[in-house]
Amino acid sequence: MRIRVATIALALTVLSGCAAGPDYVRPNVSVPAQYKEAEGWNRAVPADALDRGSWWSLFQDPELDALMGQVEVSNQNLAAAEAAYRQARALVREQRASLFPTVSLDGSGTRARSAGSSGSSVGQTYRYDIGASWEPDLWGRIRRNVEGASAQADSSAADLASARLAAQGELAANYFQLRESDIETRLLHATVEAYQRSLKIAGNRYAASIAPKSDVLQAQTQLANAQANLANLGQQRAQLEHAIAVLVGRAPADFALAPDPAWHASVPELPPSVASDLLQRRPDIAAAERRVAAANAQVGAAQAAFFPSFTLSASRGGGASQLGRLFDAPSSLWSLGVALAQTLFDGGARRAGRDAARAGYDQSVAQYRQTALTAFQDVENQLVATNVLVERARLFAQASQSADEAERIALNRYQAGLVAYTDVVLAQATALSARQSLAQATRDRQTTAVALIQALGGGWHAEQGG
C-alpha cells in the first residue's frame, strides 16, 4: 500500500510540472523613437528598477533637502503605502504555503473513576493522532495564484514609489510657491512704501492747491488695494505652510518656515539630450504592467478549475492506558489515502469565471497602454512648458525693467506738474504687475521642472537615476 501511494505521489509530482493558462508576456506598447518637444532623446526601454536618487538636490536648496528627509520618515500617506506593500508580501507567502503539505497533531489524556458493586477503579487513557494532507498542484492553480500575488506585491511596491514621488513633488511645489510668496511679499511691502510716498506727494500738492482732491483719493485707493493684497498674500503663505506641515507629518501648529525675502530661486537647466528610457522609471507605469501580470495569472487559475483535484492524506494514531506505551506498535493505527474531486456540473460558473478573468486581463492591458500614452503626453506637455517658460521669464524681466523706468518717469513728471495723477497710477499698477509676473514666472519654471522630473519618474541625469 505504501509503495502504491508513493508511486501515485511521484506521478502527481511529475504531472504538476505544467500550469494551466497562458504564460505571461509583457504587452507591446507603442514607444516613439524620440520626444516631439526634445530632439535627440533616445528610444525608451524598461528601467523602472533604477534608483531615482535625490532629484530635489538639483534645486540647490538646503532647507528643501531637509524637508524631503522628513517626508520619507513622517508622511502618513507613505506609511500607509508601505504597510500595504508589507501586506501584499505577506499574501504572497500565504499563497506559497499552499504548495506544501499541512501537518497536524492532536493529543489527549483522560483520567476517570468508576464505582460499582465490586468497588471503585481509576482508569487512564492517552491518545494521539498525527495527520498530513497535500494537494499536488497538478494544473498550476496554486502556482498561478502565487504568481498573481507576487505581481500584485510588485504593483504595491510601485504604488509605494508613486506615493513617495507624488509626496516629494507636492512638497517641492508647495515650498517653491511659499518662497515665491515671500518674494511677492517683499515686492508688495516696497510697493506699499512707494504708494505711501505717492500719497504724501499728492496730499502736499492738494494742500498747495496745485492738484485736485481726486489725486489724493486715487492715491489712497491704490494704497489700500496694495495693503489688502498684502494681507491676502499672508493668508496664502500660511495655507502653504500648513500644507507643507502635513506633508512632513507634523501638525500645522507645531511647524513654521521663517520668511526669506532674499531667497533666490535656482532653476535646473534642461540638458540638451536626455534618454527617454528614464520615462520607464515611472512607478505608475510599472504598477500598471504588474497588474497585467497579475491578471494573466488569474486567467490560468480560472482555467485550472476545469481539471480534477487530487489530495493525498496520511495519518497515524494510537491509544494506551499508560503514557509510556502510547507509541508502541500494538496500540497504534495508520492510514494512507488518495482522494479525487471533479465538478461535473456547476451551471457555467467556471466558464463564467474564466471569461471574467480574460476580460480582466484585457482591461488591465488597455489600462497599461493608456497609462504609458498618458505618461508620454505628460512629458511632452512639461517639455513644451519648460521651453516656453524660459522665453517667458526673459520677456517678463525686460517688461519689469521697462515698467520700473516708466513708473519713475511718470512720478517725476507728476511732481513737475506735467501729467495727471492717473498717469502715475497707471504706471505704478503696470510696474507692480510686471514685478509680480516676473516672480511668478520664476516660480512656474521651478514647479514645471518638478513636474517634468515627476513625469520622467524622478530626475533626468544618469548619475541621479541611472
Side-chain angles (χ1 to χ4, degrees), residues 13 42 96 117 147 231 252 334 350 403 452:
T13 302
N42 302 324
R96 188 175 288 120
S117 58
E147 180 183 319
W334 60 268
R350 288 172 297 168
L452 178 57

Side-chain angles (χ1 to χ4, degrees), residues 61-64 67 171-186 233 236-237 240-241 244 255-266 439-440 442-443 446:
D61 191 311
E63 191 159 21
L64 178 62
L67 291 171
L171 171 62
N174 287 344
Y175 178 79
F176 293 141
Q177 289 184 47
L178 181 141
R179 288 310 181 201
E180 189 270 336
S181 70
D182 287 345
I183 295 175
E184 281 202 57
T185 299
R186 182 193 65 194
L233 195 59
Q236 293 177 9
R237 187 192 190 280
L240 289 168
E241 190 176 69
I244 292 173
F255 179 84
L257 283 174
D260 187 2
W263 180 76
H264 175 70
S266 175
Q440 292 167 3
T442 303
R443 177 205 61 195
Q446 288 187 305

Side-chain angles (χ1 to χ4, degrees), residues 69-402:
Q70 297 179 48
V71 168
E72 183 70 23
V73 174
S74 304
N75 185 274
Q76 295 307 301
N77 287 333
L78 288 186
E82 189 275 334
Y85 172 63
R86 286 189 285 110
Q87 181 184 42
R89 296 304 304 168
L91 291 176
V92 174
R93 297 196 302 272
E94 182 181 3
Q95 291 288 346
R96 188 175 288 120
S98 300
L99 292 169
F100 302 96
T102 300
V103 181
S104 61
L105 170 64
D106 295 322
S108 65
T110 60
R111 180 182 177 88
R113 179 174 181 172
S114 62
S117 58
S118 60
S120 61
S121 63
V122 178
Q124 302 178 121
T125 303
Y126 299 96
R127 298 195 60 83
Y128 78 92
D129 184 72
I130 300 175
S133 63
W134 177 46
E135 181 182 347
D137 190 26
L138 294 181
W139 320 115
R141 178 183 61 83
I142 298 175
R143 277 169 292 154
R144 291 302 189 194
N145 286 335
V146 172
E147 180 183 319
S150 298
Q152 289 288 3
D154 292 340
S155 176
S156 182
D159 288 339
L160 172 58
S162 184
R164 179 182 294 110
L165 185 59
Q168 291 169 344
E170 186 178 358
L171 171 62
N174 287 344
Y175 178 79
F176 293 141
Q177 289 184 47
L178 181 141
R179 288 310 181 201
E180 189 270 336
S181 70
D182 287 345
I183 295 175
E184 281 202 57
T185 299
R186 182 193 65 194
L187 293 175
L188 279 174
H189 275 301
T191 299
V192 166
E193 293 175 359
Y195 287 178
Q196 288 172 338
R197 290 192 297 269
S198 297
L199 175 59
K200 185 176 181 180
I201 293 172
N204 291 338
R205 288 174 59 82
Y206 171 68
S209 300
I210 301 175
K213 187 176 181 180
S214 59
D215 288 2
V216 177
L217 296 176
Q218 284 182 310
Q220 290 175 338
T221 300
Q222 196 173 33
L223 174 60
N225 285 335
Q227 291 171 330
N229 290 337
L230 189 59
N232 185 57
L233 195 59
Q235 176 188 353
Q236 293 177 9
R237 187 192 190 280
Q239 291 173 343
L240 289 168
E241 190 176 69
H242 300 163
I244 292 173
V246 172
L247 285 169
V248 299
R250 303 271 296 277
D254 300 329
F255 179 84
L257 283 174
D260 187 2
W263 180 76
H264 175 70
S266 175
V267 183
E269 293 295 332
L270 181 67
S273 177
V274 179
S276 60
D277 58 4
L278 295 184
L279 173 65
Q280 300 305 314
R281 297 183 306 169
R282 281 182 58 134
D284 57 339
I285 294 180
E289 185 274 329
R290 290 289 81 202
R291 283 191 283 269
V292 175
N296 182 81
Q298 291 304 310
V299 173
Q303 194 161 328
F306 286 90
F307 301 99
S309 63
F310 293 85
T311 303
L312 302 179
S313 62
S315 66
R316 175 171 177 163
S321 60
Q322 297 179 12
L323 186 61
R325 300 189 59 190
L326 183 61
F327 296 97
D328 290 350
S331 63
S332 65
L333 299 173
W334 60 268
S335 69
L336 297 172
V338 179
L340 178 148
Q342 171 66 56
T343 301
L344 298 180
F345 178 75
D346 60 6
R350 288 172 297 168
R351 190 182 304 276
R354 182 192 60 190
D355 293 343
R358 287 176 176 173
Y361 171 79
D362 293 340
Q363 179 186 27
S364 63
V365 170
Q367 290 172 339
Y368 168 55
R369 289 171 174 162
Q370 183 62 35
T371 300
L373 289 174
T374 302
F376 281 108
Q377 177 191 14
D378 194 10
V379 174
E380 296 284 10
N381 289 343
Q382 302 309 326
L383 284 172
V384 70
T386 298
N387 295 332
V388 169
L389 285 171
V390 171
E391 180 65 12
R392 183 181 174 188
R394 184 185 67 82
L395 294 174
F396 275 138
Q398 293 180 356
S400 180
Q401 183 178 4
S402 299

